[in-house]
């Protein structure tokens, strides 16, 4: 978005949305303070082991929390974890090149073997079955990383395709086994788009961000990450193309499913602005399900807009698709006094690390300040943040401070990600998506 703090040069990758399981660069793990030098293994420790300087029941154990590590521990190993007193603390995956040195998997003495992983995957899939998602969509999240107790693993279902996003070396080392476990738990694939043409087997894709690969020390093979053609999914009767190999995240934002449906109920005969539209999800819901009179969908990502155009044609409807930086577009509309009945602001992740939180809050402030001016008096603003490092309170305070002079905000709803994105209470960052619904008076 054209504000200098957010604009991209041609050819740059668009920022990515938030997702659980991220890793960061940090000092070499096992590095010790002077008083820890030469620390011996905890009494009775089973190799491979790691001893902590400080313990937390958060699934992430950072480098600064590690006292010392077993020289026999190898990257990707499941290690036995001991607290500073030498007491058994649990088991986790070891990643010595990452700031997140350990991703905890268990705080009891159960073995972390293939049966553990298969059971965890089966439980995650069984939970999605209870949500009755197949009645409305064939695209949903099967494993939500820390939210399902499987730190570092995102797994999504798109029609007859399983897409895995990997955030740690340990998960990548087990990717084949995890895919097989998911396929077995799911049973044969079916598709709402072609129920009479079910595939005999699941297609699979493994993805990882280049920065994660570099930090964690692995590289997804080309044959694992590539898939010819796009997947066609259905959600609440709308058909979408998904670029599962090259799109943001795993190609589609399943987290906004319920919010898209809710928005549609507010759009009858309305003029709608879908800001940062990606492949057109909110705009299509407003038009196809909600009966909006006019929808304008804006994004800076040319590839995403190309898929949005496919989606418009796929659903035999009409939207105005605009390739523009969102800040520039809003200022242009402000200059000609254009307003809309409904405005959606759903930018990609703006806070990739804690050092970027302040800058991200300034961007959220500016974006919302401009966006509110685009809403006709009494109209609707849906404003979202998918930055897990920004809390609900931080986001809501920023939105309130962005209120233009002479306008008031009436909050009537606050939502988050759909139910297939559960939150583990020991990891509040997994409640990353914030969606605030306002009347702008």
């Amino acid at each position: 978005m054209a504000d200098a703090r957010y604009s991209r040069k041609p050819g740059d990758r668009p920022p990515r949305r938030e997702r659980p399981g991220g890793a960061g660069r940090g000092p070499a793990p096992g590095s010790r303070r002077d008083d820890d030098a030469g620390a011996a293994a905890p009494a009775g420790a089973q190799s491979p082991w790691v001893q902590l300087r400080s313990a937390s029941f958060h699934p992430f154990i950072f480098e600064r929390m590690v006292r010392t590590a077993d020289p026999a521990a190898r990257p990707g190993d499941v290690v036995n974890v001991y607290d500073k007193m030498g007491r058994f603390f649990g088991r986790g995956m070891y990643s010595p090149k990452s700031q997140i040195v350990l991703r905890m998997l268990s705080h009891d003495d159960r073995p972390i073997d293939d049966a553990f992983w298969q059971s965890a995957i089966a439980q995650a899939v069984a939970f999605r079955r209870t949500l009755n998602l197949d009645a409305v969509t064939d695209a949903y999240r099967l494993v939500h990383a820390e939210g399902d107790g499987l730190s570092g693993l995102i797994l999504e279902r798109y029609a007859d395709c399983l897409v895995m996003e990997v955030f740690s070396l340990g998960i990548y080392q087990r990717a084949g086994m995890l895919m097989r476990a998911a396929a077995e738990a799911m049973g044969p694939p079916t598709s709402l788009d072609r129920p009479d043409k079910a595939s005999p087997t699941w297609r699979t894709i493994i993805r990882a961000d280049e920065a994660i690969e570099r930090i964690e020390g692995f590289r997804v093979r080309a044959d694992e990450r590539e898939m010819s053609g796009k997947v066609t999914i259905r959600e609440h009767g709308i058909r979408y193309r998904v670029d599962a190999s090259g799109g943001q995240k795993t190609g589609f934002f399943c987290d906004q499913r319920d919010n898209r449906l809710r928005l549609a109920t507010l759009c009858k005969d309305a003029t709608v602005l879908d800001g940062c539209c990606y492949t057109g999800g909110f705009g299509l819901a407003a038009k196809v399900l909600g009966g909006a009179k006019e929808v304008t969908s804006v994004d800076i990502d040319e590839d995403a807009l190309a898929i949005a155009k496919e989606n418009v044609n796929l659903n035999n409807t009409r939207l105005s698709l605009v390739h523009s930086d969102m800040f520039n577009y809003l200022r242009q509309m402000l200059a000609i006094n254009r307003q809309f009945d409904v405005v959606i602001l759903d930018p990609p992740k703006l806070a990739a690390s804690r050092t970027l939180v302040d800058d991200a809050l300034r961007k959220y402030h500016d974006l919302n300040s401009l966006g509110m001016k685009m809403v006709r008096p009494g109209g609707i603003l849906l404003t979202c943040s998918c930055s897990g490092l920004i809390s609900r309170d931080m986001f809501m305070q920023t939105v309130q401070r962005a209120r233009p002079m002479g306008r008031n905000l009436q909050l009537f709803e606050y939502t988050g990600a759909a139910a297939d994105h559960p939150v583990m209470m020991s990891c509040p960052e997994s409640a990353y998506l914030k969606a605030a619904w306002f009347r702008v008076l």
Side-chain angles (χ1 to χ4, degrees):
M1 304 178 176
D3 187 296
R5 292 168 296 177
Y6 189 59
S7 59
R8 296 188 296 113
K9 298 177 181 178
D12 285 353
R13 289 187 171 187
R16 295 182 180 270
R17 290 174 63 95
E18 178 68 271
R19 65 261 189 176
R25 187 182 304 278
S31 57
R32 300 181 289 255
R33 296 176 178 172
D34 290 343
D35 58 354
D36 286 332
Q46 296 181 355
S47 183
W49 53 265
V50 169
Q51 186 172 22
L52 304 181
R53 178 180 292 129
S54 59
S56 166
F57 284 98
H58 193 287
F60 297 166
I61 301 294
F62 294 96
E63 188 276 337
R64 65 181 179 274
M65 301 167 68
V66 174
R67 181 183 184 192
T68 187
D70 185 350
R74 296 290 178 259
D77 279 356
V78 172
V79 297
N80 298 296
V81 182
Y82 298 87
D83 67 14
K84 64 181 180 181
M85 303 301 293
R87 296 170 297 203
F88 181 77
F89 185 70
R91 294 190 170 97
M93 285 184 296
Y94 182 55
S95 187
K97 294 183 179 180
S98 173
Q99 183 182 359
I100 304 173
V101 176
L102 291 171
R103 293 175 181 270
M104 296 300 298
L105 298 169
S106 171
H107 289 284
D108 56 34
D109 199 28
R110 80 180 88 171
I112 308 298
D113 52 14
D114 285 2
F116 168 89
W117 295 102
Q118 291 160 3
S119 175
I121 295 286
Q123 289 178 39
V125 170
F127 170 61
R128 273 64 180 183
R129 297 294 194 208
T130 68
L131 299 176
N132 200 29
L133 294 167
D134 293 300
V136 297
T137 185
D138 55 4
Y140 45 86
R141 182 155 294 187
L142 294 174
V143 177
H144 187 50
E146 295 76 35
D148 282 295
L150 294 174
S151 183
L153 171 64
I154 294 290
L155 186 60
E156 298 198 295
R157 179 262 176 106
Y158 298 134
D160 65 346
C161 185
L162 297 176
V163 184
M164 177 183 294
E165 189 167 19
V166 177
F167 295 90
S168 77
L169 173 62
I171 291 294
Y172 182 64
Q173 291 172 342
R174 298 162 177 83
M177 179 267 293
L178 295 172
M179 279 291 201
R180 290 189 295 273
E184 181 177 351
M186 287 291 291
T190 57
S191 172
L192 290 177
D193 187 57
R194 301 181 67 188
D196 59 330
K197 301 287 186 181
S199 302
T201 58
W202 292 94
R203 294 184 288 167
T204 61
I205 296 175
I206 300 174
R207 298 182 50 157
D209 187 273
E210 290 180 3
I212 299 296
E213 291 178 321
R214 183 174 62 253
I215 293 166
E216 292 281 331
F218 68 92
R219 180 72 175 173
V220 178
R221 299 194 316 267
D223 65 303
E224 294 174 317
R225 69 171 72 236
E226 299 296 333
M227 182 185 72
S228 60
K230 300 182 180 74
V231 183
T232 300
I233 64 166
R234 283 188 183 270
E235 178 186 284
H236 298 298
I238 300 177
R239 300 170 73 194
Y240 296 95
R241 301 267 199 244
V242 177
D243 181 3
S245 296
Q248 292 188 38
K249 294 180 69 178
T250 55
F252 189 68
F253 300 152
C254 295
D255 51 4
Q256 293 280 25
R257 179 190 315 108
D258 295 346
N259 293 330
R260 285 188 283 266
L261 184 63
R262 177 71 179 99
L263 177 89
T265 67
L266 304 171
C267 292
K268 181 66 174 175
D269 298 325
T271 57
V272 178
L273 173 61
D274 182 9
C276 309
C277 70
Y278 190 48
T279 58
F282 276 113
L284 281 166
K287 185 73 171 178
V288 177
L289 301 179
K293 177 172 65 177
E294 174 189 329
V295 176
T296 302
S297 298
V298 183
D299 207 284
I300 197 171
D301 185 344
E302 293 182 73
D303 293 336
L305 280 180
I307 299 177
K309 184 175 181 180
E310 289 186 49
N311 289 336
V312 170
N313 294 334
L314 194 62
N315 291 280
N316 298 311
T317 191
R318 297 184 66 180
L319 304 183
S320 176
L321 299 174
V322 180
H323 177 227
S324 176
D325 170 284
M326 194 60 198
F327 281 98
N328 270 353
Y329 183 83
L330 290 172
R331 291 185 178 116
Q332 290 167 4
M333 294 301 99
L334 184 62
I336 62 173
N337 297 315
R338 177 72 196 275
Q339 290 187 318
F340 300 83
D341 298 316
V342 178
V343 173
I344 304 110
L345 300 176
D346 186 24
K349 180 176 69 171
L350 300 182
S353 67
R354 295 190 184 280
T355 60
L356 297 177
V357 165
D358 288 344
D359 188 52
L361 290 173
R362 285 190 290 270
K363 292 171 185 173
Y364 283 121
H365 178 280
D366 294 350
L367 181 64
N368 280 277
S369 180
L370 289 167
M372 289 176 203
K373 296 172 184 176
M374 294 297 102
V375 183
R376 68 159 180 81
I380 302 297
L381 171 69
L382 167 59
T383 181
C384 306
S385 166
C386 60
S387 297
L389 294 174
I390 292 177
S391 69
R392 169 178 173 164
D393 286 347
M394 293 164 66
F395 180 61
M396 295 296 279
Q397 290 168 10
T398 299
V399 173
Q400 169 63 10
R401 286 195 292 266
R403 178 177 60 88
M405 291 291 293
R407 307 296 297 270
N408 281 316
L409 293 177
Q410 184 182 50
L411 178 70
F412 64 90
E413 197 162 355
Y414 181 93
T415 55
D420 50 331
H421 296 62
V423 176
M424 197 69 72
M425 297 308 291
S426 60
C427 185
E429 301 94 321
S430 53
Y432 64 95
L433 182 61
K434 298 158 285 289
W437 306 71
F438 295 98
R439 288 180 69 223
V440 184
L441 306 175

